[in-house]
Amino acid sequence: GHWVWIRSRGKIAVWSEKGSPLQVCGANSDISDQVKMMEMIQEHNAYHESLLKVIPDIIFRCSSKGEYLDILTDQEDKLILPREKLLGKRITDISPGRTGRMFLDHVREALRTGERQVIEYEVPFLSGRRWFEARTVALRNEEVLSLVIDITERKEAEKELYYASYHDHLTGLYNRRFF
C-alpha cells in the first residue's frame, strides 16, 4: 500500500428537530498529484532563491524599449535606485545620457542578432563611481535578460597596472617604456 492525500468536502444535508445532523452529503477527492506538484514548485522556487543568494550580481529583464520588467538581486545597494522605483521605468529615463543610450542599443542588438552581447559601463553612486559589465541575451521577441556584474575592482587593478607599466615604482616618474 501507499499513502494518498485526500480532500474531503461535505455539508450537513438534513437536520433533526433538535438541531442535530441527520444526513451528511460529501465527496472525497484524491489530490496526491496536486500535492506532489506543489512540492515540486516549492523545490523549484527554493532552488532559484538559492541561486540568487549565490550569484553576487544583478539580473534584469527588460523590454525592447528598455523598460525594466523585473530585477533579481539580493544586493539592492548595487542598484542606482531602489528596485520599486526602477520597475516600469526606461533605462533612458534613469540614465538619460550616453550610458542610457548605449545600454538601449545593447538591448536592441541582442534582440536583433539573437546572440549574447557584452558591454562595460560606469555608473556614478554617492559612494563613488562603479564599473559594471552587462551580458545580455534575447529572452523573447521583445524582451532580454541581462546579467550585470560589478567589475570595479578589476577596473581599478587594470588602472594600477597601466600606471605601474609606465612609471617608476620608487619615484613615480615616467619610465623608459613611456618614451
Side-chain angles (χ1 to χ4, degrees), residues 127-179:
S127 60
R129 300 184 76 72
R130 301 204 61 84
W131 279 91
F132 294 93
E133 176 183 275
R135 300 174 186 188
T136 303
V137 295
L139 183 61
R140 298 184 189 131
N141 288 340
E142 297 297 316
E143 293 181 9
V144 297
L145 202 59
S146 293
L147 175 66
V148 179
I149 305 162
D150 186 344
I151 59 169
T152 304
E153 288 180 15
R154 187 188 87 197
K155 284 294 199 179
E156 288 172 355
E158 287 173 359
K159 187 177 175 182
E160 289 174 19
L161 189 61
Y162 179 81
Y163 181 85
S165 69
Y166 289 105
H167 293 81
D168 180 76
H169 70 281
L170 292 175
T171 64
L173 298 174
Y174 288 116
N175 62 20
R176 65 175 174 238
R177 253 183 121 193
F178 178 76
F179 300 105

Side-chain angles (χ1 to χ4, degrees), residues 62-67 69 104 107-108 111 141-144:
C62 295
S63 72
S64 61
K65 296 175 182 169
E67 181 182 347
L69 302 173
L104 187 57
V107 165
R108 290 180 176 154
L111 286 168
N141 288 340
E142 297 297 316
E143 293 181 9
V144 297

Side-chain angles (χ1 to χ4, degrees), residues 53-105:
K53 290 177 184 172
V54 169
I55 299 172
D57 304 311
I58 306 166
I59 299 172
F60 292 105
R61 186 169 57 96
C62 295
S63 72
S64 61
K65 296 175 182 169
E67 181 182 347
Y68 292 106
L69 302 173
D70 197 9
I71 301 168
L72 304 173
T73 186
D74 68 342
Q75 297 187 19
E76 298 247 346
D77 61 316
K78 290 188 178 178
L79 298 175
I80 196 163
L81 291 172
R83 182 182 184 280
E84 298 77 32
K85 290 188 178 184
L86 287 173
L87 291 174
K89 299 275 192 308
R90 291 185 180 190
I91 294 166
T92 50
D93 295 336
I94 304 303
S95 298
R98 187 177 77 84
T99 302
R101 287 190 307 274
M102 179 180 66
F103 202 84
L104 187 57
D105 290 344

Side-chain angles (χ1 to χ4, degrees), residues 12 14-22:
I12 299 169
V14 180
W15 295 85
S16 72
E17 292 177 11
K18 295 180 182 179
S20 301
L22 291 177

